[in-house]
Structures are given as C-alpha cells and as structure tokens.
C-alpha cells in the first residue's frame, strides 16, 4: 500500500493564483486515508513570481524553488531530485506530480492506493488519450471518447465508464512517436532507478520518461504497470501552458520533432532498441475503477470552472 505520498505541484510563473488555489483545494479535499505531504515546486525562469507564491501557498505545504531552463523536463527532474534527497526523513514511499493548472478528482489518492494494492506497481502509467481533459474544442468525429459540452466552448473529453481492450500499442519504433503517457504515481524504488525526463526544448519529455521506465521494467529494476486514466485528475487545456504553445516543428518529420533535432537524436539512441516490438500487451495492466458518471463529472468540472 501507499504508506505516505509526496504530492508535487509543479508550477511556473504563468500559473495564475486562482488555478493554483484550485489545485491546492483538490488536494486538501481528498477524502482519503492515504497520508501525504505537499511540495510546491516553483520551476521557472521568472524569479519574481516566487515571492507572490509565498503569499498564498498554505503554511503546511513545502515551497521550493528549483533551477529551470524554461521547459517541463527539467522541472520534472527537479521533483525527482528533491524526492530522493528527502524521502527518508519524511517517510515517503511514493510520489506523484501534477501541474499547477490541473486538479484532482476527490477520489484520486484512494484510487492510487487501491491500484497499488491490486498491482504492486512501482511505476503507474496512465494512457494519455484516456486522461479526462477540459478543452475548448470537441475531438475529431473518429475519436472514441465521449464529449460533454457543459457550457459554450467547453468540452469534457472522457471515456467515463467505457473500457477498451488492451491493444497492441507499439511504444517505440525509432521513427514515428505516438506520444507520451501520464506518470500517475511512482514508488521510491522506481525513483531510485535514476529515471530522467528529457530536458531542453521539446514537447514530449514524458514519452522518453515512460520509455526509460519500460526498459527498467524489462531489466527487472521496477514493476511498470499500465492503466486507463479517468478518475484521477482533470487536464485543463483551456489555459496557456509551458507544455503547449510552440507548434514550430521540423517540416519533414512533423510533430513532435523540433527543428533543432533534440527529439530525433534522443529517439534514435541505442538504449531504446531493446523496445523494438514491445507493446502494451507485453506489460502488466490494471483497470481503474470508475466512481462517477459523466453527469457527476460535468457537474464537478463546471463547478470548478475558472473564466479566462
């Protein structure tokens, strides 16, 4: 079980106070028996906003400032570094990271704990296209997700109670990149394997982070478990974010290959070739319990809507 969880709120200067306070509220209102500590990690190239954070970050939280290169990979790595330096003193057994403009469903921590007891995961990976997300546009008509327009120009994309079979999703082929997956939770054992997100200007640092975790699973360094991802958190895509924005990709290769070649170079490293032919069907998988109907989800999201 999860004895004690370290919850990292990763934030930077464009996360507005109202969004951060919503994220904090979603953590403080977990009706959970899981013990947890909250660490607010200010990872930004803008130094002044840190002083503003001190005005409203709850006193019981730990507020830290870490070095930033302006992109999310280094921010994720700074959370890992802080965890390794502090888990023993605080009794942490697991960690999770959430962006400051996103927020948890009320049942999130209990579900993480239930999945840990079911699967004994060290690294719990959520399928990115299953994440409940709040978006300003509906999905393509061929997208299997249900959509719920709870108000004009706002759609909640969700699979809700629907379930798809574990299909032969190819993680890596050295050419195209299907996209990353959300890391829902990690044990101390997983963090100690030395997993690192790709730093620098790129949009898929989480993809290579996931690949490294699968390699560690193959090498029997940790237990990688994949799951669908619904009743954990809301991915708010209606605001400006460091993870979205620049769409200037390599003209020949397209998304997500940057013009500087960072993603292409990383994707062709020798270490990933062990994943050739590995699919989701080769890895442990656990189904996430669904607590709410789509009506309840829409009510929750609508009640926590922040106008732009």
């Amino acid at each position: 079980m999860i004895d004690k969880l370290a919850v990292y709120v990763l934030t930077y200067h464009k996360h507005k106070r109202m969004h951060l306070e919503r994220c904090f509220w979603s953590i403080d209102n977990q009706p959970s028996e899981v013990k947890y500590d909250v660490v607010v990690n200010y990872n930004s190239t803008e130094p002044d906003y840190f002083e503003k954070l001190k005005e409203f970050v709850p006193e019981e939280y730990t507020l830290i400032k870490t070095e930033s290169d302006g992109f999310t990979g280094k921010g994720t790595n700074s959370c890992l570094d802080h965890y390794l330096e502090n888990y023993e003193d605080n009794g942490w057994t697991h960690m999770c990271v959430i962006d400051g403009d996103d927020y948890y469903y009320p049942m999130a921590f209990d579900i993480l704990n239930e999945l840990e007891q079911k699967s004994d995961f060290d690294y719990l990976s959520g399928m990115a296209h299953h994440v409940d997300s709040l978006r300003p546009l509906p999905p393509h008509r061929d997208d299997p997700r249900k959509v719920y327009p709870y108000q004009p120009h706002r759609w909640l994309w969700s699979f809700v109670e629907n379930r798809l079979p574990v299909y032969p999703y190819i993680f890596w082929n050295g050419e195209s990149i299907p996209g990353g997956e959300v890391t829902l939770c990690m044990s101390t054992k997983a963090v100690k394997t030395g997993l690192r997100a790709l730093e620098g200007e790129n949009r898929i640092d989480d993809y290579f982070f996931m690949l490294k975790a699968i390699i560690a699973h193959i090498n029997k360094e940790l237990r990688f478990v994949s799951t669908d991802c619904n009743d954990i958190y809301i991915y708010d895509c209606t605001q400006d974010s460091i993870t979205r924005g620049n769409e200037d990709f390599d003209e020949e290769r397209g998304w997500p290959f940057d013009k500087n070649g960072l993603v292409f170079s990383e994707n062709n490293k020798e270490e990933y070739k062990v994943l050739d032919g590995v699919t989701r069907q080769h890895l442990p998988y656990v189904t996430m319990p669904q607590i709410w109907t789509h009506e309840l989800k829409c009510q929750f999201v609508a009640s926590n809507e922040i106008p732009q």
Side-chain angles (χ1 to χ4, degrees):
M1 64 180 295
I2 298 176
D3 291 331
K4 193 174 185 183
L5 184 65
V7 183
Y8 284 85
V9 178
L10 184 57
T11 186
Y12 76 126
H13 63 278
K14 285 192 176 181
H15 286 165
K16 300 175 183 177
R17 175 171 180 166
M18 62 183 67
H19 294 101
L20 283 166
E21 290 185 328
R22 179 179 63 182
C23 183
F24 300 159
W25 169 85
S26 74
I27 294 170
D28 292 338
N29 283 274
Q30 292 288 317
S32 174
E33 295 182 357
V34 176
K35 296 179 180 178
Y36 63 87
D37 291 329
V38 182
V39 180
V40 179
N41 180 4
Y42 181 66
N43 185 263
S44 177
T45 56
E46 171 54 61
D48 294 340
Y49 193 62
F50 184 72
E51 295 302 317
K52 296 181 181 179
L53 285 178
K54 293 179 180 179
E55 299 174 5
F56 64 89
V57 171
E59 292 183 0
E60 63 269 25
Y61 289 8
T62 299
L63 175 61
I64 62 174
K65 180 167 64 173
T66 53
E67 182 181 354
S68 172
D69 62 0
F71 302 97
T72 56
K74 196 175 185 69
T76 298
N77 290 339
S78 67
C79 293
L80 299 172
D81 292 339
H82 184 270
Y83 183 89
L84 287 174
E85 293 169 2
N86 294 276
Y87 77 91
E88 288 184 309
D89 291 341
N90 291 279
W92 298 332
T93 59
H94 294 75
M95 69 171 289
C96 55
V97 181
I98 187 169
D99 289 341
D101 56 350
D102 299 330
Y103 57 105
Y104 286 111
Y105 281 122
M107 68 289 288
F109 295 174
D110 279 339
I111 289 180
L112 290 177
N113 192 41
E114 180 178 335
L115 294 182
E116 196 283 333
Q117 294 179 66
K118 284 183 177 179
S119 66
D120 193 30
F121 70 77
D122 291 306
Y123 185 107
L124 184 66
S125 181
M127 296 170 65
H129 55 285
H130 282 220
V131 172
D132 279 19
S133 56
L134 177 61
R135 298 176 183 266
L137 297 170
H140 187 273
R141 62 180 179 273
D142 294 333
D143 193 305
R145 277 173 290 193
K146 294 181 179 180
V147 290
Y148 306 100
Y150 64 89
Q151 68 178 47
H153 308 297
R154 287 291 184 275
W155 283 263
L156 174 64
W157 297 19
S158 177
F159 274 89
V160 196
E161 71 278 4
N162 291 349
R163 283 294 170 269
L164 300 179
V166 183
Y167 56 100
Y169 173 100
I170 297 290
F171 289 105
W172 177 90
N173 62 13
E175 298 177 5
S176 61
I177 295 177
E181 294 193 7
V182 177
T183 307
L184 296 177
C185 190
M186 289 184 290
S187 70
T188 299
K189 181 179 179 180
V191 183
K192 291 176 72 174
T193 62
L195 297 176
R196 307 296 286 178
L198 179 63
E199 297 186 2
E201 185 176 357
N202 75 94
R203 291 280 299 280
I204 54 166
D205 52 279
D206 55 348
Y207 171 69
F208 296 109
F209 192 72
M210 174 193 67
L211 294 187
K212 292 178 186 295
I214 297 173
I215 293 171
H217 174 87
I218 292 173
N219 294 334
K220 302 187 184 304
E221 298 175 63
L222 57 78
R223 179 171 171 79
F224 182 102
V225 176
S226 189
T227 184
D228 33 42
C229 175
N230 287 30
D231 285 352
I232 294 293
Y233 76 103
I234 300 292
Y235 176 37
D236 191 341
C237 301
T238 65
Q239 311 294 327
D240 291 334
S241 171
I242 195 172
T243 61
R244 302 180 294 277
N246 180 20
E247 301 293 343
D248 191 18
F249 300 114
D250 183 288
E251 293 181 1
E252 179 181 347
R253 299 186 178 94
W255 184 94
F257 293 95
D258 59 286
K259 290 186 175 182
N260 294 327
L262 174 64
V263 171
F264 180 77
S265 175
E266 178 70 21
N267 195 46
N268 283 274
K269 286 185 176 179
E270 188 73 22
E271 66 179 291
Y272 299 121
K273 292 184 178 180
V274 69
L275 297 175
D276 190 24
V278 175
T279 76
R280 186 181 303 283
Q281 293 177 335
H282 292 102
L283 300 170
Y285 184 90
V286 62
T287 296
M288 186 176 295
Q290 294 301 290
I291 310 299
W292 282 357
T293 64
H294 70 274
E295 290 89 354
L296 288 174
K297 284 189 172 185
C298 285
Q299 290 173 15
F300 180 78
V301 170
S303 67
N304 289 286
E305 170 73 5
I306 296 177
Q308 294 191 29

